[in-house]
Amino acid sequence: MVQVTKEAALEYHRNGRPGKIEVKPTKPYHTQTDLSLAYSPGVAYPCLEIQKSPNDVYKYTDKGNLVAVISNGTAVLGLGDIGAMSGKPVMEGKGLLFKIYGGIDVFDIEVAEKDPEKFCETVEKIAPTFGGINLEDIKAPECFYIEERLKKTLDIPVMHDDQHGTAIISAAGLKNALEVAGKDIRKVKIVVNGAGAAAISCTKMYCALGARKENIVMLDSKGVITKERKQLTSQKALFATSRQDVHTLEEAIKNADVFVGLSKGNILTQEMIKSMSKNPIVFALANPVPEISYEDAVNSRPDVLMSTGRSDYPNQINNVIGFPYIFRGALDVHAKAINEEMKMAAVQAIAALAKQPVPDVVNDVYHVNDLTFGPKYFIPKPVDPRLITEVSAAVAKAAIESGVARRTITDWEAYKSTLLQMLGQETKLTQKLHDTARRHPQRVVFAEGGHPTMMKAAVQAKQEGMCFPILLGNSDRIRRQAQRLKLDLSDIQIIDMRADQEQGRRATFAKHLFEKRARQGYTFQEAYDKMYERNYFGMMMVETGEADTFITGLYTRYSNTIKVAKEVIGIRPDYKTFGTMHILNTKKGTYYIADTLINRHPNQDVLIDVARLSAHTVRFFNDEPHIAMISYSNFGTDDHGSSLEVHNAVAQLQQQYPDLAIDGEMQVNFALNRELRDDKYPFTRLKGLDVNTLVFPNISSANGSYKLLQALDADAEIIGPIQMGLNKPIHFTDFESSVRDIVNITAVAVIDAYVEKIKQMKMK
């Protein structure tokens, strides 16, 4: 576990711009026209529309994506009543989590008021600003009254996350833990240690799942809450037991099936857990020190199913699994409330998600390969990217069905796609690529079949229905690796190009290569020896029609791959070279960058080919190329070296292709700033156009540029490298490629192969 020191935490909060959140404009604001539209006089028009139709506030403002995190600082984390201002770092942190996990904007509001009536009045007066209210760190019992009142007086979702967030996540965990333990929630004996807001709400949710009140014992700081005790709050009275034989935690937990701790650290002993029933379920949720440590619990009972609130142990109960997605779903249907149906929908969605195969990104974050439903994994991890689609959609659907939604969603797949795009998990381009590949799956050879990343990508691409994978490599090693990674290789072909049974295929491939390259000095024996190498063998599968496309690059240097591709596949007849392109999906738009890998020091002829190939490739992605040829100079201001090569290449391209939107040479800032470029150089063929394709003068500048942008913009999605100019669909990765990167390349390769087939059919 990462050790957090006081000094490190303070430095984190004060370094650079103090705090953790900021407000950013979402509309253009650079020109006088922009400002006139944003404020006076243009702003009057949406104001009047909202006056006529109040629900139009969701159409013209950020209300539908804006949540207030509101606290009076009376119960901050484990710090207690530290005051409204002292709690502000926590509220900012909550705002950060809303944004990064749910794409939701937040204003944190600290109210210096402990009186529940006055606190509610303050919230009610500012509520029109927001689409939802997240109450935070308000002590019990006042929090119960405040939430209930605001739910009655406001027509937007209100949720006290300390109560319901923990309740929803722990209820999902309990549902699954009971399934793993083979126990019936209607029969299990449950001990709840703690009687604050979270404990009360959790226990209510367990009852909603089917737990019986007569099987529940709740304790507070005074011991077991019994019906005989005087001056009980109404909330505690709900779970007061009539049992006369239990007064302490030690007595209550004997033979119990479930312990839920929402109290303080180190109050549960190993002896107490030993006294519980078979397969005991222990949720020790006090933070940062749980009621019993994970190690002590497991050592006392190997059959224990354990959860804590900590990230360094299995089955973390973390509210971030719930609140961003619950509010996301509620906001997206303009809900009037977060009701019990919506909360239960979240419980069911979270519980169901834990039973699905775990995405590779989750395994990577936790450095494991064995996250499968069972004792050590019955709650989804907070980083699971599927939470936003599964939980938000379930909550939105429940809001519609229960009648609290102002807006209806009918196309749920489109809604889920929108959510993925919102958080940058999937763009319209990648979604379109994957959808197209699924409609036309092809036979894809994966060169490094035993590499964990490539193997995972092949399995994922098959599961998504976009290809029929063929893995190259030693069959036994691949299957052992798959077993370690818990990957299903059913119906996936494995070919060992070095195996004895492949002699005939190697000989056939060698004969083909020998005949093709005989005039370049090849002998049959040399060609045959080449077939022991994965790149030669895999490319020959595509060349001879045994496969449709080939993906390589995790092990091999580009220089070697380029050499093999030229020998086996060859360059398209109309070109003298081939190249690669990377696509950058950014918030500003999609950009195509060439040539990022192949041509180190291109001359004028090579630059012309790269530009032509780039135009062809951009059209392949159903986009219209607006090409800027990049240099350190603008339109002839330097007539030496690479600048001159680019300048001459542009002149020839413009002459040969008068309809192609291409110009240069130009500096990259002029290429990407239309107003600056058109003002300084009004003669440009790109006048009035936004450049989307950048052709660089050499590999260093192209490769460095896309990697710089990738490093500076964490939200930018990179697709590539994409091969341009080979006779057959051969595609490359590199050693840095993730599973997602390779799956994206697989989609491109599949489409490339399908397009090639259509072309060949038309030629016949």
Side-chain angles (χ1 to χ4, degrees):
M1 184 178 180
V2 176
Q3 295 297 316
V4 176
T5 65
K6 175 182 177 181
E7 291 75 17
L10 293 178
E11 178 63 18
Y12 173 86
H13 283 80
R14 71 171 173 249
N15 186 40
R17 177 173 176 154
K20 298 187 285 283
I21 56 177
E22 66 176 337
V23 176
K24 287 188 174 181
T26 59
K27 297 292 189 295
Y29 54 87
H30 295 290
T31 68
Q32 184 59 46
T33 300
D34 293 338
L35 297 177
S36 296
L37 290 169
Y39 197 54
S40 181
V43 75
Y45 295 106
C47 290
L48 293 172
E49 291 299 307
I50 294 169
Q51 185 184 32
K52 286 190 296 184
S53 179
N55 281 343
D56 278 356
V57 69
Y58 289 99
K59 185 189 298 185
Y60 297 116
T61 76
D62 191 40
K63 180 183 175 76
N65 196 53
L66 187 61
V67 166
V69 174
I70 303 182
S71 177
N72 62 4
T74 53
V76 178
L77 292 175
L79 305 175
D81 185 354
I82 62 174
M85 189 180 300
S86 300
K88 183 173 174 61
V90 177
M91 308 313 134
E92 283 189 356
K94 197 66 175 276
L96 183 147
L97 296 176
F98 264 112
K99 187 66 175 179
I100 63 175
Y101 288 112
I104 296 170
D105 298 321
V106 164
F107 289 156
D108 65 289
I109 298 175
E110 292 72 39
V111 181
E113 182 56 73
K114 295 184 179 181
D115 181 271
E117 295 290 341
K118 293 180 179 178
F119 183 90
C120 287
E121 289 173 6
T122 301
V123 176
E124 287 162 353
K125 288 175 182 177
I126 64 172
T129 305
F130 303 100
I133 303 289
N134 181 97
L135 298 170
E136 192 78 14
D137 291 352
I138 303 170
K139 73 181 183 70
E142 289 89 339
C143 63
F144 299 116
Y145 170 80
I146 288 171
E147 186 189 43
E148 286 305 312
R149 170 169 161 174
L150 292 176
K151 285 168 68 175
K152 291 176 182 177
T153 58
L154 300 180
D155 64 347
I156 56 175
V158 177
M159 188 173 85
H160 185 210
D161 186 51
D162 299 315
Q163 294 182 58
H164 306 298
T166 305
I168 289 165
I169 313 309
S170 70
L174 180 60
K175 181 178 185 297
N176 282 349
L178 288 169
E179 183 176 330
V180 173
K183 297 185 177 185
D184 186 344
I185 193 169
R186 294 169 297 181
K187 298 177 181 179
V188 294
K189 296 177 181 178
I190 301 174
V191 174
V192 180
N193 196 64
I200 296 293
S201 188
C202 285
T203 312
K204 287 181 179 178
M205 189 63 76
Y206 304 157
C207 290
L209 281 174
R212 303 283 179 84
K213 282 189 178 181
E214 58 267 28
N215 292 335
I216 297 172
V217 174
M218 181 176 285
L219 299 92
D220 60 11
S221 59
K222 298 177 181 177
V224 172
I225 299 172
T226 65
K227 292 186 180 296
E228 297 176 348
R229 193 194 294 184
K230 297 179 180 179
Q231 296 181 330
L232 285 176
T233 65
S234 60
Q235 298 294 331
K236 290 183 179 181
L238 286 173
F239 299 105
T241 182
S242 57
R243 289 177 60 179
Q244 303 292 320
D245 60 327
V246 291
H247 303 88
T248 65
L249 176 59
E250 186 175 11
E251 293 171 345
I253 204 170
K254 190 173 183 179
N255 296 320
D257 299 284
V258 178
F259 169 85
V260 179
L262 293 145
S263 50
K264 60 182 181 179
N266 296 323
I267 50 85
L268 190 64
T269 66
Q270 290 184 316
E271 287 69 28
M272 292 180 188
I273 293 184
K274 289 177 182 177
S275 73
M276 296 178 71
S277 67
K278 182 181 179 182
N279 297 326
I281 297 168
V282 175
F283 285 12
L285 306 183
N287 242 338
V289 180
E291 283 79 2
I292 185 171
S293 72
Y294 181 86
E295 292 83 359
D296 283 351
V298 171
N299 288 337
S300 65
R301 289 288 295 269
D303 61 339
V304 69
L305 282 83
M306 180 78 172
S307 280
T308 70
R310 291 175 50 155
S311 60
D312 51 341
Y313 295 114
N315 302 311
Q316 182 190 16
I317 303 291
N318 189 328
N319 285 16
V320 79
I321 295 173
F323 69 81
Y325 315 114
I326 294 167
F327 272 95
R328 180 74 274 159
L331 291 171
D332 289 338
V333 294
H334 304 165
K336 300 175 183 177
I338 294 175
N339 57 26
E340 296 306 310
E341 292 88 344
M342 294 160 74
K343 287 186 276 187
M344 185 55 71
V347 171
Q348 300 292 351
I350 293 167
L353 189 58
K355 299 177 186 178
Q356 298 179 21
V358 178
D360 184 70
V361 64
V362 177
N363 284 320
D364 286 348
V365 168
Y366 291 92
H367 305 293
V368 296
N369 294 308
D370 58 350
L371 285 181
T372 54
F373 184 70
K376 292 187 177 181
Y377 177 74
F378 51 78
I379 303 169
K381 296 292 186 181
V383 298
D384 196 316
R386 302 167 299 174
L387 284 163
I388 191 167
T389 54
E390 299 306 308
V391 180
S392 299
V395 170
K397 191 174 293 185
I400 294 169
E401 292 174 353
S402 62
V404 297
R406 296 182 178 91
R407 174 177 175 260
T408 299
I409 296 172
T410 54
D411 189 338
W412 291 99
E413 289 306 311
Y415 172 60
K416 289 182 179 181
S417 294
T418 301
L419 293 174
L420 292 174
Q421 293 165 23
M422 178 187 301
L423 292 189
Q425 294 176 22
E426 185 177 282
T427 65
K428 289 182 180 179
L429 177 60
T430 53
Q431 181 189 352
K432 187 174 182 179
L433 291 175
H434 287 214
D435 289 344
T436 304
R438 278 191 284 267
R439 289 196 295 271
H440 309 288
Q442 305 291 310
R443 298 166 298 172
V444 180
V445 181
F446 293 87
E448 296 91 354
H451 192 290
T453 304
M454 190 161 276
M455 192 184 300
K456 291 175 185 177
V459 171
Q460 184 175 327
K462 178 181 178 293
Q463 290 174 342
E464 291 189 22
M466 66 172 64
C467 75
F468 307 105
I470 302 168
L471 302 179
L472 293 187
N474 181 277
S475 178
D476 291 338
R477 291 175 187 169
I478 288 175
R479 296 192 186 283
R480 286 197 299 271
Q481 180 76 283
Q483 190 172 12
R484 284 195 294 271
L485 299 174
K486 298 188 182 299
L487 295 175
D488 182 8
L489 297 186
S490 302
D491 301 322
I492 292 181
Q493 186 179 1
I494 301 172
I495 295 178
D496 184 353
M497 61 275 180
R498 299 178 181 177
D500 291 342
Q501 61 265 32
E502 291 298 327
Q503 287 179 354
R505 187 181 266 155
R506 285 199 301 271
T508 301
F509 289 171
K511 182 175 182 292
H512 186 99
L513 181 60
F514 163 64
E515 292 173 350
K516 185 175 183 178
R517 304 291 297 178
R519 290 290 180 179
Q520 283 77 41
Y522 256 79
T523 65
F524 176 81
Q525 186 60 49
E526 183 182 2
Y528 188 83
D529 291 343
K530 297 289 188 186
M531 293 310 137
Y532 285 95
E533 299 179 28
R534 57 172 56 89
N535 282 330
Y536 278 97
F537 190 94
M539 290 188 199
M540 283 303 305
M541 289 187 71
V542 177
E543 174 71 7
T544 59
E546 289 199 25
D548 301 308
T549 184
F550 176 73
I551 296 175
T552 185
L554 285 180
Y555 288 139
T556 316
R557 290 182 178 180
Y558 282 117
S559 57
N560 178 263
T561 307
I562 293 166
K563 176 178 177 290
V564 178
K566 286 180 178 179
E567 291 180 5
V568 177
I569 301 299
I571 295 167
R572 290 183 186 177
D574 294 341
Y575 298 92
K576 299 174 184 177
T577 188
F578 77 106
T580 58
M581 170 182 285
H582 277 79
I583 303 176
L584 273 68
N585 280 310
T586 72
K587 291 179 179 178
K588 290 189 66 176
T590 300
Y591 297 96
Y592 305 88
I593 297 181
D595 166 24
T596 48
L597 291 175
I598 304 300
N599 300 290
R600 289 187 174 89
H601 303 290
N603 59 26
Q604 176 181 327
D605 291 337
V606 172
L607 287 169
I608 289 171
D609 271 2
V610 170
R612 291 170 58 213
L613 288 168
S614 297
H616 174 83
T617 305
V618 172
R619 292 191 182 103
F620 174 84
F621 290 104
N622 291 321
D623 212 342
E624 186 61 30
H626 301 153
I627 306 173
M629 301 282 282
I630 302 302
S631 182
Y632 57 84
S633 62
N634 285 313
F635 301 101
T637 55
D638 193 319
D639 58 359
H640 291 83
S642 64
S643 182
L644 180 61
E645 298 279 2
V646 175
H647 184 88
N648 291 338
V650 170
Q652 189 171 334
L653 284 162
Q654 289 186 337
Q655 182 181 3
Q656 293 178 350
Y657 306 97
D659 295 330
L660 181 62
I662 186 169
D663 216 331
E665 82 286 14
M666 69 179 78
Q667 295 172 354
V668 71
N669 57 318
F670 284 90
L672 298 180
N673 188 327
R674 185 182 64 191
E675 290 79 12
L676 177 64
R677 182 184 68 241
D678 291 358
D679 178 58
K680 297 293 184 183
Y681 305 104
F683 56 82
T684 174
R685 187 181 283 192
L686 294 168
K687 186 172 183 178
L689 299 176
D690 290 317
V691 167
N692 60 6
T693 308
L694 305 175
V695 176
F696 283 84
N698 53 55
I699 192 174
S700 296
S701 54
N703 189 277
S705 293
Y706 97 79
K707 289 192 173 182
L708 175 65
L709 291 171
Q710 183 180 29
L712 292 178
D713 186 355
D715 295 327
E717 180 185 40
I718 309 292
I719 302 175
I722 296 162
Q723 174 268 118
M724 310 185 298
L726 289 174
N727 271 324
K728 296 286 178 70
I730 305 299
H731 288 268
F732 312 121
T733 62
D734 60 40
F735 72 94
E736 298 172 341
S737 294
S738 66
V739 171
R740 183 183 179 190
D741 292 334
I742 300 174
V743 171
N744 286 341
I745 287 294
T746 303
V748 173
V750 166
I751 299 168
D752 195 5
Y754 175 70
V755 170
E756 183 66 22
K757 281 185 176 180
I758 297 299
K759 187 191 303 179
Q760 295 300 322
M761 289 172 60
K762 288 181 179 179
M763 290 174 63
K764 293 178 182 179

